[in-house]
Amino acid sequence: MTRSARNWRSFRALALASSAIVGPILFGSAALAQASSGSPEADESGVVDIVVTAQRREESLQDVPLSIVAIGRETLRNNDITEASRLEQLAPGLRLGRSGADPRPAIRGIITESIQGNADPRVAFYIDEIYQSRTSMTSVPFVDLERVEVQKGPQGTLFGRNSYGGNIAISTAKPSMDRVEGGINALGGSYNRILVDGHINLPLSESVAVRFAGAYEKRDGFIKSVTAPGFADMDDKNQFYLRGSLRFAAPGSPLEVILRASHWSDNSKGAGTFNAKAIGQFIDPALVTAPGGTLNVGGGTFTFPNGFNGRTFQGQFYPFATFRDGLVDVTINGVPLDLGYPVLGPYKVLHDAPSKQRIRSTQLSMIINYDIGDSIRLRSITGYNNFDANRSTDNDGTPANYGIGYFLTKDKAFSQELQLQSTGDSPLSYTLGAYYLNDEVPDGFLSGRTRDYSTAAALANTPGTGNYPLYFGSNFTVYPSSGGGVVNLPPTAYITPNASDAFNPLSWAKNISYALYGQVSYTFNDKLTLTGGLRYTIDKKDLRSALATPGIFPAAGTYLVYKPSTDFNRTCDGVTAADPSSTAAANVVANALTTRCGQNTFKYFTYRLAADYKINDDVMLYASYSTGKHSGGFSYSPLSNTAGQPLPPYGTESVEAWELGLKGTFFDRRVQFNLAAFYNKYSDLQVQTSFPNPLLANSVITILSNGAKSKSPGIDLSLVAYPTSKLRLNFALNYLHARDDPFGVSVGQSGICGIVAPGGTCTTRPEVGLGYLGGILPNPVSNPSLFAPIKDASGNQIVVGGVPQFTALGYNTPTRVQNTPDISFQIGAAYEIDLGSAGTLTPEVQMLYTGDYLLSRAFPQYLAPDYTKTELRLTYRTLNKNITVQAFVENLENNATIGRVTVASGGGFSGSYAAPRTWGIKAGYKF
């Protein structure tokens, strides 16, 4: 489908949805019908407003001058919202792309891209007001929640530095002294899914109550391995969650104390480390070279002993992974070409090694509310998190026993917050606070590799039919050995490598943050409210990174080993030995790693100004201006790996956000409507840049630095209507014109000089070894117009080790923001059929439309297509609504959608797909 056809399809779908829902309700009435954002629930009198805490106090959703999607308890249960990834279906404008165990939330043109320990998320995640500092924590099961709030735009005044793009805040149900209550739900569905969850509330006295909630979920993986079925499948579920809460609130007492403790255990296969599977690569068929063949590049002749598959950032996209298998994939102009291993579809892989995911998370919190008289409340919010996530996956993505990767993330965090709040009906309201966070984050990525492995020999000798090896029976798998021969092994004989000879730096980060903040509002004549807020933050960051020791390299034929459990000497310039199983010389093993350090303190203000005006009790207009910051940090590698050389810091990112909005409730609460127009201006964005490596010739060091800019104007609209007490109609629209300003792209060492025969252009034109994002082509020799020389203060080009240094020019026009469609909307309807004394039967349909979107800024010409996802539900409830039975289908279209990709050197894409079509039947009982 052409771009223009897709745009027409998007416009037509939007027009039909708008006319079908908005037209009859808005224009069929004498007054303008207006409704709230989110997915409000209803009682017999219409839409029930949801209480939210977006301003750190309990308020009606319709009284808060902010863009918020609020999803209440019953809507969460009804729509199978059991984790954050399901929020997309009900919250247009929120994107939750995923890589492995890590959601990548995107709101209003900003996406969390860096997930390792040297960086913080750009969209914050809160559980009962406790900040969760790692993106992996966003995957926690949703059990017995009161509500979920998606707070759009920067929330830097009341929430903090990393609420840069907004917040996802969940509130768990708190114990009640009113009565004994509880419930249990059981679900069975496709992919052998089993989900059981329950809760019980127990008043122990008129002053004390406890509440317990838990869930167990198990499901087969969506991603199936062709070469090792069952053994190397991925993206399953096998997790357990338990939470206990205790609340003390004596009648007439000014004191309330809420204690919570939870534990989350995940023992699944997971979805890989950074991404689940290969998607494809950019290839120029004219450049494909057979083993022993030659290729002319920039006037130089290169001989490829093992061949070359034509990878280039200027080629066409082909669904083949970067490893070649010696089989013909396509024939172009009569020439048979081997491009690589085929990508068999979104939910199939050729993995031979198992993926594993182990998550252990324990959280403790205590909230103390103490009322001083009738007008002041003192609050204390204390949190402790202990999080440990280990993920492993087949690192080469082929049936060859070549490599396995490990991604390790740990977090221990303690936070303490104190607040002083106004209460009562005074026109003056305020929230004053102080915040402290102590966050310790060790992490690392390791890659175990088979030492004697020969790509050409092992893959060429792999038997197969078509373009992939076959699985033979239930006991044996065709499996290439490291020497290139073929052996038959039972699946239980697969040995997961437990060590690594290649790794991203093992690191340890210590983040200490202090903040003082306040927000004050004053209401004039019960109509006009003016609000001002200010926050001052001090972030102290300390990063220790273990790197290869300068001058210490294993001799040819020997290697170093690092186990996933390896810890390292955290002393600056301290030395860490490799594992004794290493075959390198003793002095090399003993001095394998040297720790480099970075310490810095970041200080900054964020603030907010707002005004809202109540036309009447049901309609409010508002305008706001706010700022936000995303914390700075450090790159993992120093510019020079010499003693005392610090890790290079990068600064904070900034955003300015303007918003105009309207919120209204009409027709005796039968209709709610929210409309917001916004403009977010991002500056000093953290992007990868490259510098010449003064230690090693023909190489560069890639680091994070500031300087890029982005703009995101847009509109949020949402409408919920109950034309009758039994019929609900809802429509929500998000339009976002998010564009990155032009900025350069990193140049990296391409590796071409290591895979071609000696001599040639690598000797006479050594800059051919530098490539766009590390790819072989284009480079400064093959496409000089795409590169600019790096010059010193005198205007002379920098030369390192005889290699002239370059930077990529990037794109000279604004580029769409990754993972951010211009248009998305959600539309739905539900009708409750009265069955008399037998209860009710409710059919329901919800459809999400998402326009096309950019997968990677490196390839602005390659867009993921637009799609719809439709959900159908049929729910039976008894007359007293204590028994519920529901059948449902999700992603009726069976669309395979991808929210985030990784681009490897040379153009290989890998990514993680969202769930395919699924169905289920669930039953619940509550008392």
Side-chain angles (χ1 to χ4, degrees):
M1 181 180 293
T2 65
R3 179 77 56 83
S4 60
R6 284 199 302 267
N7 291 339
W8 167 247
R9 175 181 165 186
S10 302
F11 176 80
R12 184 174 181 271
L14 178 60
L16 288 174
S18 301
S19 62
I21 297 298
V22 181
I25 297 174
L26 294 188
F27 303 110
S29 307
L32 175 65
Q34 304 172 358
S36 78
S37 73
S39 298
E41 299 160 22
D43 59 16
E44 291 301 319
S45 60
V47 177
V48 173
D49 201 11
I50 297 179
V51 172
V52 297
T53 56
Q55 296 193 115
R56 305 306 300 273
R57 61 174 69 233
E58 293 187 345
E59 301 173 284
S60 164
L61 171 67
Q62 291 304 98
D63 291 336
V64 179
L66 294 167
S67 289
I68 306 167
V69 176
I71 306 173
R73 176 202 302 261
E74 294 304 320
T75 302
L76 292 168
R77 290 176 178 172
N78 182 69
N79 289 275
D80 192 31
I81 309 295
T82 57
E83 59 181 29
S85 64
R86 290 274 302 136
L87 292 174
E88 282 188 352
Q89 192 70 22
L90 296 182
L94 170 68
R95 297 279 295 169
L96 280 162
R98 186 168 54 102
S99 58
D102 298 277
R104 307 276 188 138
I107 299 177
R108 290 191 172 175
I110 205 70
I111 180 173
T112 291
E113 183 58 23
S114 183
I115 61 173
Q116 293 185 261
N118 68 325
D120 293 313
R122 283 170 158 175
V123 174
F125 182 60
Y126 287 85
I127 301 177
D128 292 319
E129 300 186 80
I130 306 299
Y131 175 60
Q132 314 293 304
S133 69
R134 298 295 98 198
T135 54
S136 303
M137 297 176 176
T138 315
S139 297
V140 65
F142 285 5
V143 181
D144 191 30
L145 300 188
E146 189 66 34
R147 67 185 173 274
V148 174
E149 299 175 36
V150 180
Q151 302 160 359
K152 298 181 179 181
Q155 305 291 326
T157 300
L158 291 177
F159 283 92
R161 71 202 196 286
N162 293 326
S163 299
Y164 181 67
N167 294 330
I168 300 172
I170 71 174
S171 298
T172 64
K174 63 183 180 181
S176 169
M177 272 71 78
D178 294 341
R179 63 188 179 92
V180 175
E181 65 174 357
I184 186 169
N185 301 284
L187 183 154
S190 53
Y191 295 90
N192 294 315
R193 183 186 180 195
I194 297 174
L195 171 62
V196 179
D197 70 83
H199 70 279
I200 187 168
N201 183 88
L202 299 172
L204 302 182
S205 70
E206 63 177 5
S207 304
V208 180
V210 294
R211 191 179 186 101
F212 298 96
Y216 170 76
E217 184 174 14
K218 188 175 179 64
R219 170 179 54 74
D220 292 345
F222 294 138
I223 301 177
K224 306 295 184 181
S225 173
V226 174
T227 46
F231 178 69
D233 293 349
M234 304 172 67
D235 206 2
D236 63 335
K237 289 283 188 184
N238 185 14
Q239 60 182 353
F240 172 76
Y241 177 87
L242 180 66
R243 181 178 65 249
S245 307
L246 181 147
R247 179 175 173 233
F248 169 81
S253 170
L255 176 66
E256 178 188 44
V257 179
I258 303 174
L259 301 174
R260 294 182 175 94
S262 66
H263 178 74
W264 170 30
S265 175
D266 185 304
N267 295 289
S268 64
K269 297 176 181 178
T273 51
F274 291 104
N275 272 313
K277 67 184 304 293
I279 298 172
Q281 57 184 315
F282 284 85
I283 291 173
D284 182 349
L287 300 178
V288 176
T289 307
T294 60
L295 180 66
N296 292 320
V297 178
T301 300
F302 296 85
T303 301
F304 292 85
N306 293 318
F308 176 55
N309 76 335
R311 283 180 293 162
T312 171
F313 283 92
Q314 296 181 312
Q316 304 173 50
F317 194 75
Y318 285 86
F320 292 90
T322 54
F323 280 79
R324 305 169 82 197
D325 55 10
L327 301 174
V328 174
D329 298 316
V330 298
T331 299
I332 299 178
N333 296 327
V335 180
L337 302 175
D338 171 21
L339 302 181
Y341 257 90
V343 174
L344 303 179
Y347 303 109
K348 291 183 180 180
V349 293
L350 295 167
H351 294 182
D352 64 283
S355 291
K356 292 181 182 289
Q357 179 169 285
R358 299 292 181 267
I359 296 177
R360 300 291 183 271
S361 177
T362 299
Q363 302 200 5
L364 307 173
S365 70
M366 177 173 66
I367 295 179
I368 301 174
N369 297 316
Y370 186 80
D371 292 327
I372 304 173
D374 295 329
S375 59
I376 298 177
R377 169 169 290 183
L378 179 64
R379 305 189 71 218
S380 172
I381 305 167
T382 307
Y384 171 77
N385 294 338
N386 189 349
F387 181 82
D388 190 336
N390 299 321
R391 289 85 84 197
S392 67
T393 192
D394 188 317
N395 207 38
D396 54 89
T398 75
N401 112 1
Y402 177 61
I404 190 167
Y406 302 86
F407 184 28
L408 319 173
T409 301
K410 296 185 179 183
D411 181 74
K412 287 187 178 181
F414 171 80
S415 62
Q416 176 62 54
E417 189 167 6
L418 297 175
Q419 290 182 350
L420 190 66
Q421 285 187 341
S422 62
T423 57
D425 298 325
S426 169
L428 176 68
S429 65
Y430 57 84
T431 297
L432 307 176
Y435 181 75
Y436 169 77
L437 172 68
N438 189 320
D439 193 21
E440 183 178 331
V441 187
D443 84 346
F445 179 78
L446 302 94
S447 177
R449 295 178 181 174
T450 302
R451 267 292 163 185
D452 298 326
Y453 176 75
S454 165
T455 304
L459 295 181
N461 290 337
T462 303
T465 300
N467 281 337
Y468 58 88
L470 291 177
Y471 176 75
F472 292 92
S474 59
N475 296 320
F476 294 88
T477 302
V478 173
Y479 187 84
S481 71
S482 61
V486 176
V487 295
N488 289 329
L489 295 176
T492 55
Y494 280 81
I495 300 173
T496 301
N498 62 358
S500 173
D501 63 356
F503 62 96
N504 278 354
L506 302 172
S507 73
W508 175 88
K510 183 83 164 183
N511 306 320
I512 297 178
S513 182
Y514 307 89
L516 294 174
Y517 63 89
Q519 180 169 293
V520 180
S521 299
Y522 192 87
T523 302
F524 300 88
N525 300 321
D526 295 326
K527 293 286 188 180
L528 175 65
T529 300
L530 301 180
T531 299
L534 180 68
R535 187 183 191 102
Y536 179 65
T537 301
I538 300 175
D539 282 339
K540 293 184 176 180
K541 294 212 165 187
D542 184 348
L543 179 66
R544 312 294 172 95
S545 178
L547 306 167
T549 299
I552 301 295
F553 301 102
T558 66
Y559 55 91
L560 297 173
V561 173
Y562 306 97
K563 292 187 176 180
S565 58
T566 296
D567 201 356
F568 66 96
N569 185 341
R570 295 173 188 170
T571 304
C572 297
D573 295 328
V575 174
T576 301
D579 190 78
S581 62
S582 304
T583 63
N587 70 312
V588 175
V589 174
N591 298 280
L593 302 177
T594 298
T595 301
R596 303 303 184 205
C597 301
Q599 290 99 19
N600 203 354
T601 299
F602 304 91
K603 302 178 182 180
Y604 43 85
F605 286 97
T606 51
Y607 57 93
R608 177 171 182 261
L609 300 172
D612 62 81
Y613 183 80
K614 287 251 184 178
I615 297 176
N616 54 46
D617 290 341
D618 297 318
V619 181
M620 179 182 71
L621 299 172
Y622 69 90
S624 70
Y625 170 76
S626 57
T627 67
K629 294 283 188 178
H630 176 234
S631 185
F634 299 89
S635 296
Y636 279 123
S637 300
L639 297 181
S640 175
N641 196 2
T642 57
Q645 178 70 37
L647 300 174
Y650 55 87
T652 59
E653 299 179 306
S654 302
V655 58
E656 296 178 88
W658 294 262
E659 183 171 324
L660 297 174
L662 179 149
K663 290 188 175 185
T665 306
F666 294 89
F667 304 115
D668 296 326
R669 292 171 41 211
R670 293 295 176 187
V671 179
Q672 285 189 347
F673 175 81
N674 269 14
L675 177 66
F678 58 88
Y679 178 79
N680 289 7
K681 182 180 179 182
Y682 304 99
S683 59
D684 298 319
L685 293 175
Q686 299 158 3
V687 296
Q688 285 190 348
T689 57
S690 298
F691 293 85
N693 186 346
L695 184 70
L696 184 63
N698 197 30
S699 71
V700 294
I701 293 175
T702 298
I703 66 170
L704 285 170
S705 64
N706 302 86
K709 297 179 180 180
S710 181
K711 300 179 181 66
S712 296
I715 295 174
D716 283 339
L717 178 152
S718 62
L719 169 68
V720 178
Y722 286 83
T724 72
S725 61
K726 304 298 183 183
L727 174 64
R728 187 201 73 218
L729 304 172
N730 60 278
F731 174 76
L733 166 71
N734 176 261
Y735 172 75
L736 181 63
H737 189 75
R739 297 296 185 268
D740 285 326
D741 286 355
F743 62 86
V745 180
S746 295
V747 172
Q749 184 177 7
S750 70
I752 190 172
C753 297
I755 63 174
V756 301
T761 303
C762 285
T763 302
T764 60
R765 298 287 303 278
E767 63 267 32
V768 76
L770 305 180
Y772 178 82
L773 288 177
I776 293 174
L777 299 171
N779 58 52
V781 174
S782 64
N783 298 83
S785 62
L786 300 179
F787 298 84
I790 300 176
K791 297 181 179 181
D792 60 22
S794 301
N796 300 314
Q797 185 172 8
I798 295 175
V799 178
V800 178
V803 182
Q805 298 296 311
F806 291 83
T807 184
L809 294 176
Y811 296 94
N812 57 10
T813 59
T815 305
R816 293 178 66 167
V817 173
Q818 178 179 319
N819 198 28
T820 303
D822 284 354
I823 292 178
S824 62
F825 66 81
Q826 183 243 356
I827 185 170
Y831 185 78
E832 185 181 274
I833 302 171
D834 191 345
L835 302 179
S837 61
T840 62
L841 187 66
T842 305
E844 180 179 358
V845 58
Q846 294 287 335
M847 188 269 284
L848 171 68
Y849 170 82
T850 295
D852 57 12
Y853 53 96
L854 185 67
L855 286 173
S856 171
R857 192 182 186 280
F859 301 95
Q861 75 276 21
Y862 185 66
L863 299 179
D866 61 342
Y867 63 85
T868 62
K869 285 188 178 181
T870 302
E871 300 190 353
L872 303 178
R873 301 180 190 279
L874 183 63
T875 306
Y876 168 78
R877 296 180 178 88
T878 56
L879 190 62
N880 59 6
K881 298 186 178 181
N882 65 331
I883 296 177
T884 302
V885 180
Q886 183 187 83
F888 65 87
V889 177
E890 296 169 354
N891 190 6
L892 179 67
E893 299 87 342
N894 200 27
N895 280 324
T897 60
I898 188 166
R900 192 260 180 188
V901 297
T902 298
V903 183
S905 295
F909 271 19
S910 61
S912 298
Y913 286 89
R917 181 192 300 124
T918 57
W919 57 267
I921 298 175
K922 64 179 179 181
Y925 173 74
K926 63 181 180 180
F927 57 90

PDB file of all heavy atoms in Angstrom, residues 158-176:
ATOM      1  N   LEU A 158       5.408  18.505  40.947  1.00  0.00           N
ATOM      2  CA  LEU A 158       4.948  17.720  42.088  1.00  0.00           C
ATOM      3  C   LEU A 158       5.510  16.302  42.112  1.00  0.00           C
ATOM      4  O   LEU A 158       5.500  15.657  43.153  1.00  0.00           O
ATOM      5  CB  LEU A 158       3.420  17.661  42.099  1.00  0.00           C
ATOM      6  CG  LEU A 158       2.710  18.984  42.425  1.00  0.00           C
ATOM      7  CD1 LEU A 158       1.200  18.819  42.327  1.00  0.00           C
ATOM      8  CD2 LEU A 158       3.089  19.471  43.815  1.00  0.00           C
ATOM      9  N   PHE A 159       5.984  15.800  40.970  1.00  0.00           N
ATOM     10  CA  PHE A 159       6.466  14.424  40.936  1.00  0.00           C
ATOM     11  C   PHE A 159       7.978  14.325  40.779  1.00  0.00           C
ATOM     12  O   PHE A 159       8.592  13.452  41.375  1.00  0.00           O
ATOM     13  CB  PHE A 159       5.771  13.645  39.817  1.00  0.00           C
ATOM     14  CG  PHE A 159       4.378  13.236  40.167  1.00  0.00           C
ATOM     15  CD1 PHE A 159       3.310  14.051  39.847  1.00  0.00           C
ATOM     16  CD2 PHE A 159       4.130  12.049  40.830  1.00  0.00           C
ATOM     17  CE1 PHE A 159       2.011  13.687  40.166  1.00  0.00           C
ATOM     18  CE2 PHE A 159       2.846  11.675  41.159  1.00  0.00           C
ATOM     19  CZ  PHE A 159       1.770  12.501  40.828  1.00  0.00           C
ATOM     20  N   GLY A 160       8.608  15.147  39.938  1.00  0.00           N
ATOM     21  CA  GLY A 160      10.056  15.097  39.929  1.00  0.00           C
ATOM     22  C   GLY A 160      10.696  15.077  38.568  1.00  0.00           C
ATOM     23  O   GLY A 160      10.053  15.193  37.533  1.00  0.00           O
ATOM     24  N   ARG A 161      12.001  14.844  38.619  1.00  0.00           N
ATOM     25  CA  ARG A 161      12.871  15.078  37.476  1.00  0.00           C
ATOM     26  C   ARG A 161      12.596  14.139  36.312  1.00  0.00           C
ATOM     27  O   ARG A 161      12.774  14.517  35.170  1.00  0.00           O
ATOM     28  CB  ARG A 161      14.330  14.928  37.914  1.00  0.00           C
ATOM     29  CG  ARG A 161      14.745  13.495  38.227  1.00  0.00           C
ATOM     30  CD  ARG A 161      15.951  13.436  39.139  1.00  0.00           C
ATOM     31  NE  ARG A 161      16.593  12.134  39.164  1.00  0.00           N
ATOM     32  CZ  ARG A 161      16.101  11.076  39.775  1.00  0.00           C
ATOM     33  NH1 ARG A 161      14.915  11.153  40.374  1.00  0.00           N
ATOM     34  NH2 ARG A 161      16.755   9.936  39.766  1.00  0.00           N
ATOM     35  N   ASN A 162      12.218  12.908  36.571  1.00  0.00           N
ATOM     36  CA  ASN A 162      12.063  11.942  35.488  1.00  0.00           C
ATOM     37  C   ASN A 162      10.611  11.719  35.084  1.00  0.00           C
ATOM     38  O   ASN A 162      10.299  10.749  34.401  1.00  0.00           O
ATOM     39  CB  ASN A 162      12.742  10.627  35.860  1.00  0.00           C
ATOM     40  CG  ASN A 162      14.255  10.792  35.937  1.00  0.00           C
ATOM     41  OD1 ASN A 162      14.833  11.578  35.183  1.00  0.00           O
ATOM     42  ND2 ASN A 162      14.890  10.100  36.845  1.00  0.00           N
ATOM     43  N   SER A 163       9.734  12.636  35.494  1.00  0.00           N
ATOM     44  CA  SER A 163       8.375  12.683  34.952  1.00  0.00           C
ATOM     45  C   SER A 163       8.389  13.594  33.728  1.00  0.00           C
ATOM     46  O   SER A 163       7.487  14.412  33.521  1.00  0.00           O
ATOM     47  CB  SER A 163       7.400  13.199  36.009  1.00  0.00           C
ATOM     48  OG  SER A 163       7.371  12.351  37.132  1.00  0.00           O
ATOM     49  N   TYR A 164       9.423  13.421  32.922  1.00  0.00           N
ATOM     50  CA  TYR A 164       9.742  14.318  31.806  1.00  0.00           C
ATOM     51  C   TYR A 164       8.679  14.243  30.705  1.00  0.00           C
ATOM     52  O   TYR A 164       8.251  15.248  30.164  1.00  0.00           O
ATOM     53  CB  TYR A 164      11.113  13.905  31.281  1.00  0.00           C
ATOM     54  CG  TYR A 164      11.672  14.693  30.138  1.00  0.00           C
ATOM     55  CD1 TYR A 164      12.037  16.017  30.296  1.00  0.00           C
ATOM     56  CD2 TYR A 164      11.871  14.099  28.903  1.00  0.00           C
ATOM     57  CE1 TYR A 164      12.587  16.736  29.249  1.00  0.00           C
ATOM     58  CE2 TYR A 164      12.425  14.802  27.846  1.00  0.00           C
ATOM     59  CZ  TYR A 164      12.779  16.127  28.033  1.00  0.00           C
ATOM     60  OH  TYR A 164      13.318  16.827  26.989  1.00  0.00           O
ATOM     61  N   GLY A 165       8.262  13.036  30.375  1.00  0.00           N
ATOM     62  CA  GLY A 165       7.217  12.866  29.371  1.00  0.00           C
ATOM     63  C   GLY A 165       5.848  12.671  29.980  1.00  0.00           C
ATOM     64  O   GLY A 165       4.835  12.711  29.285  1.00  0.00           O
ATOM     65  N   GLY A 166       5.804  12.445  31.293  1.00  0.00           N
ATOM     66  CA  GLY A 166       4.552  12.173  31.986  1.00  0.00           C
ATOM     67  C   GLY A 166       4.735  11.032  32.961  1.00  0.00           C
ATOM     68  O   GLY A 166       5.855  10.553  33.203  1.00  0.00           O
ATOM     69  N   ASN A 167       3.627  10.573  33.529  1.00  0.00           N
ATOM     70  CA  ASN A 167       3.652   9.509  34.526  1.00  0.00           C
ATOM     71  C   ASN A 167       2.636   8.424  34.186  1.00  0.00           C
ATOM     72  O   ASN A 167       1.595   8.701  33.593  1.00  0.00           O
ATOM     73  CB  ASN A 167       3.280  10.040  35.920  1.00  0.00           C
ATOM     74  CG  ASN A 167       4.294  11.001  36.490  1.00  0.00           C
ATOM     75  OD1 ASN A 167       5.482  10.912  36.200  1.00  0.00           O
ATOM     76  ND2 ASN A 167       3.818  11.938  37.308  1.00  0.00           N
ATOM     77  N   ILE A 168       2.959   7.219  34.602  1.00  0.00           N
ATOM     78  CA  ILE A 168       1.971   6.152  34.737  1.00  0.00           C
ATOM     79  C   ILE A 168       1.926   5.836  36.223  1.00  0.00           C
ATOM     80  O   ILE A 168       2.931   5.392  36.804  1.00  0.00           O
ATOM     81  CB  ILE A 168       2.350   4.906  33.924  1.00  0.00           C
ATOM     82  CG1 ILE A 168       2.449   5.248  32.439  1.00  0.00           C
ATOM     83  CG2 ILE A 168       1.329   3.794  34.152  1.00  0.00           C
ATOM     84  CD1 ILE A 168       2.997   4.111  31.589  1.00  0.00           C
ATOM     85  N   ALA A 169       0.796   6.107  36.854  1.00  0.00           N
ATOM     86  CA  ALA A 169       0.688   5.956  38.303  1.00  0.00           C
ATOM     87  C   ALA A 169      -0.439   4.984  38.622  1.00  0.00           C
ATOM     88  O   ALA A 169      -1.580   5.178  38.190  1.00  0.00           O
ATOM     89  CB  ALA A 169       0.420   7.313  38.956  1.00  0.00           C
ATOM     90  N   ILE A 170      -0.122   3.932  39.362  1.00  0.00           N
ATOM     91  CA  ILE A 170      -1.147   2.979  39.769  1.00  0.00           C
ATOM     92  C   ILE A 170      -1.382   3.113  41.265  1.00  0.00           C
ATOM     93  O   ILE A 170      -0.468   3.373  42.040  1.00  0.00           O
ATOM     94  CB  ILE A 170      -0.789   1.530  39.376  1.00  0.00           C
ATOM     95  CG1 ILE A 170       0.363   0.984  40.212  1.00  0.00           C
ATOM     96  CG2 ILE A 170      -0.469   1.431  37.899  1.00  0.00           C
ATOM     97  CD1 ILE A 170       0.640  -0.476  39.945  1.00  0.00           C
ATOM     98  N   SER A 171      -2.654   2.949  41.638  1.00  0.00           N
ATOM     99  CA  SER A 171      -3.049   3.026  43.046  1.00  0.00           C
ATOM    100  C   SER A 171      -3.730   1.722  43.411  1.00  0.00           C
ATOM    101  O   SER A 171      -4.740   1.338  42.792  1.00  0.00           O
ATOM    102  CB  SER A 171      -4.014   4.198  43.273  1.00  0.00           C
ATOM    103  OG  SER A 171      -3.400   5.433  42.956  1.00  0.00           O
ATOM    104  N   THR A 172      -3.187   1.015  44.390  1.00  0.00           N
ATOM    105  CA  THR A 172      -3.772  -0.245  44.815  1.00  0.00           C
ATOM    106  C   THR A 172      -4.923   0.026  45.781  1.00  0.00           C
ATOM    107  O   THR A 172      -4.989   1.074  46.438  1.00  0.00           O
ATOM    108  CB  THR A 172      -2.720  -1.138  45.487  1.00  0.00           C
ATOM    109  OG1 THR A 172      -2.264  -0.510  46.694  1.00  0.00           O
ATOM    110  CG2 THR A 172      -1.525  -1.342  44.571  1.00  0.00           C
ATOM    111  N   ALA A 173      -5.850  -0.909  45.859  1.00  0.00           N
ATOM    112  CA  ALA A 173      -6.980  -0.776  46.776  1.00  0.00           C
ATOM    113  C   ALA A 173      -6.468  -0.827  48.216  1.00  0.00           C
ATOM    114  O   ALA A 173      -5.640  -1.679  48.560  1.00  0.00           O
ATOM    115  CB  ALA A 173      -7.992  -1.889  46.524  1.00  0.00           C
ATOM    116  N   LYS A 174      -6.937   0.084  49.038  1.00  0.00           N
ATOM    117  CA  LYS A 174      -6.468   0.112  50.416  1.00  0.00           C
ATOM    118  C   LYS A 174      -7.495  -0.544  51.340  1.00  0.00           C
ATOM    119  O   LYS A 174      -8.697  -0.601  51.023  1.00  0.00           O
ATOM    120  CB  LYS A 174      -6.160   1.533  50.862  1.00  0.00           C
ATOM    121  CG  LYS A 174      -7.322   2.487  50.896  1.00  0.00           C
ATOM    122  CD  LYS A 174      -6.843   3.881  51.288  1.00  0.00           C
ATOM    123  CE  LYS A 174      -7.994   4.881  51.328  1.00  0.00           C
ATOM    124  NZ  LYS A 174      -7.519   6.237  51.693  1.00  0.00           N
ATOM    125  N   PRO A 175      -7.047  -1.056  52.486  1.00  0.00           N
ATOM    126  CA  PRO A 175      -7.963  -1.730  53.416  1.00  0.00           C
ATOM    127  C   PRO A 175      -9.066  -0.794  53.902  1.00  0.00           C
ATOM    128  O   PRO A 175      -8.869   0.412  54.037  1.00  0.00           O
ATOM    129  CB  PRO A 175      -7.054  -2.160  54.565  1.00  0.00           C
ATOM    130  CG  PRO A 175      -5.672  -2.194  53.985  1.00  0.00           C
ATOM    131  CD  PRO A 175      -5.654  -1.112  52.955  1.00  0.00           C
ATOM    132  N   SER A 176     -10.228  -1.390  54.151  1.00  0.00           N
ATOM    133  CA  SER A 176     -11.385  -0.644  54.624  1.00  0.00           C
ATOM    134  C   SER A 176     -11.923  -1.279  55.897  1.00  0.00           C
ATOM    135  O   SER A 176     -11.974  -2.511  56.014  1.00  0.00           O
ATOM    136  CB  SER A 176     -12.478  -0.632  53.550  1.00  0.00           C
ATOM    137  OG  SER A 176     -13.686  -0.137  54.067  1.00  0.00           O
TER     138      SER A 176
END
